[in-house]
Amino acid sequence: MGTIETTPHTEIHYWAGDPKQPNRENMGNFYSAGKDPIFFCHHSNVDRMWNLWKKVPGGKRKDIEDPDWLNSEFLFWDENKELVRAKVKDTLDTTRLRYGFQDVPIPWLKTKPSPKLTRKEKTRRAAQTNIVLTPISAFPVVLDKVISVEVSRSRKSRGATEKEDEDEVLVIEGIEYEENQFIKFDVLLNDEPDSPGGPDTSEFAGSFVNLPHKHAKKSKTTLVLGITRLLEDLEAEGDDTLVVTLVPRSGGDLVTINSVKIEFVAD
């Protein structure tokens, strides 16, 4: 699984799953998710968001071109109860599938969360508290507690053209976990390690979520989060380093993180 699969897609499964059920049925578990009617609305909306993302003004956004992904095959039962094989590349153009998406207002394009504290307040708070950071050399680490690490940036204070050509991304590399476990952790930038926020604050960069699968299998993947716009919101574009905080929400003691770094990728 890649970043698109784990978040934002799987995040909705986590939010819609019932914590009162033994395995967070229905949406919160792989085997039962399709029993919830919201499952179909959710997956349709994932397709709609991908379609919208490609149309956001000012971006060079397009479908993934990796042949391994484009030629991946899946088996489905069609409307005639016949088993058919479909490749990813055959599903990217919705007009070929005889459907489209309604044009509706999307106010969230211009809506941004607010930082918990101003930059000055953060600086003053940091000077007043003794925050213990995990050194990069200590990785790999088990995520059995909140971990904050200072990560270097190779470039800073980039111009508009540079940002358009390359996105600055935070890479949580080598996430090792058991696929039969419910896993969730949040990622925040320049937040207070002793009081980390959530999705309603600018410091929130994203989440990693795994829904339990019945088969017990170890998995290893990487989470990549775009942070270009987030740094603008935090007034941190000129910083030499960033403090990355990983907050375990479920199953953290079953997760190992191999490294945290910042890279630049072409749009």
Side-chain angles (χ1 to χ4, degrees), residues 114-126 190-192 195 201-203 233-235:
S114 301
K116 291 197 310 182
L117 302 172
T118 66
R119 189 172 178 81
K120 288 184 179 180
E121 289 172 332
K122 287 182 180 178
T123 302
R124 185 173 65 251
R125 183 75 63 86
N190 288 1
D191 202 352
E192 301 170 284
S195 180
T201 64
S202 294
E203 292 80 6
D233 296 342
L234 297 177
E235 300 178 354

Side-chain angles (χ1 to χ4, degrees), residues 1-11 14 143 172-179 181-188 204-211 219-225 246-252 254-257:
M1 293 188 296
T3 298
I4 296 298
E5 177 74 13
T6 57
T7 182
H9 160 260
T10 314
E11 186 80 38
Y14 170 80
L143 197 58
I172 314 298
E173 194 170 47
I175 305 169
E176 299 182 46
Y177 61 98
E178 295 279 353
E179 287 189 356
Q181 300 294 324
F182 187 81
I183 306 293
K184 183 179 189 293
F185 65 83
D186 293 338
V187 183
L188 300 106
F204 183 81
S207 299
F208 175 87
V209 184
N210 174 71
L211 292 187
S219 189
K220 186 175 183 179
T221 190
T222 295
L223 177 66
V224 181
L225 301 169
L246 306 177
V247 184
R249 300 297 186 187
S250 182
L254 304 172
V255 177
T256 299
I257 307 293

